Amino acid sequence: MMKPKGWRELTPGAVILEAGNAVEFKTGSWRAFRPVWREENCIQCLFCWLYCPDMAVIVRDGKRADFNYDYCKGCGICALECPGKKGNKAIIMQEEGK
Ligand code: SF4
Ligand code: SF4
């Protein structure tokens, strides 16, 4: 497995010099809030997968599975867009470390 790069190894301005190298940067450590999935409220609409700018929602066999916390930056877009079941969100944002 490839060792993740620390911030001191980033290029100046975090400029991407090689195509497809985003996988090397585990951006999950930037997160202040973490999305938490409440499966019981999930209607499998896949809006979270569609809207996530970091492709951090895992879909397996056509169904939403969990988050890839290595790359989720905690932006909260998935929680905002999630319709949930009968108004009960299937994604809530929780402060990291709580
Ligand atoms: S919080 Fe943002 S980055 Fe993380 S899974 Fe949701 S939309 Fe993607
Ligand atoms: S947006 Fe919400 S309800 Fe839709 S698949 Fe994602 S978690 Fe489930």
Side-chain angles (χ1 to χ4, degrees), residues 37-39 41-49 57 64 67 78 81-85 88-91:
W37 186 36
R38 296 272 160 85
E39 190 173 358
N41 293 333
C42 179
I43 59 170
Q44 292 294 340
C45 65
L46 299 185
F47 278 11
C48 50
W49 170 80
V57 176
R64 186 228 194 286
F67 293 104
C78 56
E81 297 297 340
C82 173
K85 192 188 282 176
N88 295 311
K89 292 269 184 188
I91 302 173

Side-chain angles (χ1 to χ4, degrees), residues 44 46 58-65:
Q44 292 294 340
L46 299 185
I58 299 167
V59 173
R60 236 178 254 120
D61 299 326
K63 289 195 165 185
R64 186 228 194 286

